[in-house]
Amino acid sequence: QTCSSAIIEANEDLFLQILLNLTENAIKYTGEQGHIVLSCTISGQNVEISVRDNGMGIAPSDLPFVFQRFYRADKARKRVSDHSGSGIGLSLVQFIVELFGGKIRVESAPEEGTIFTITLPLKA
């Protein structure tokens, strides 16, 4: 079964907000020669959507906090671009994902990149 045939129960605008936020973050923290890949797989009764980049990554000490409101990772990440964030983007993404009955997780390593994976239930 391909993701093109996957049906989830979600508000279209909110779902788009999730994808935009994760993709904008990947762009912000990935250099010009970097790569960003969005992928989708079906796993059992769920769909998994991942946003992967090979950017600067997130320090292990910051990973447990990335979904907390107003949390901003270390100063080095802030200097990457002139874009300043409020620190609510990822907490909003987590809230919306959970509103849809799903979960979000992050894997990252400094200088290797980051993967955000969203797991959402398929519509019965």
Side-chain angles (χ1 to χ4, degrees), residues 30-114:
T30 301
E32 289 183 25
Q33 301 302 315
H35 299 283
I36 298 167
V37 177
L38 278 69
S39 62
C40 177
T41 58
I42 303 290
S43 177
Q45 296 301 310
N46 297 301
V47 62
E48 288 190 352
I49 302 161
S50 294
V51 178
R52 174 190 305 255
D53 67 63
N54 66 344
M56 65 184 310
I58 302 168
S61 60
D62 288 321
L63 280 174
F65 308 104
V66 296
F67 296 112
Q68 289 183 2
R69 260 183 300 165
F70 307 117
Y71 184 79
R72 300 284 314 270
D74 69 41
K75 305 270 190 270
R77 278 181 64 86
K78 292 180 195 174
R79 286 195 305 267
V80 168
S81 76
D82 293 331
H83 306 290
S84 60
S86 61
I88 62 170
L90 290 175
S91 66
L92 179 62
V93 166
Q94 182 183 43
F95 176 80
I96 296 169
V97 168
E98 290 175 354
L99 185 68
F100 295 159
K103 295 181 180 178
I104 185 168
R105 68 182 186 275
V106 60
E107 302 169 56
S108 188
E111 306 306 321
E112 292 182 22
T114 303

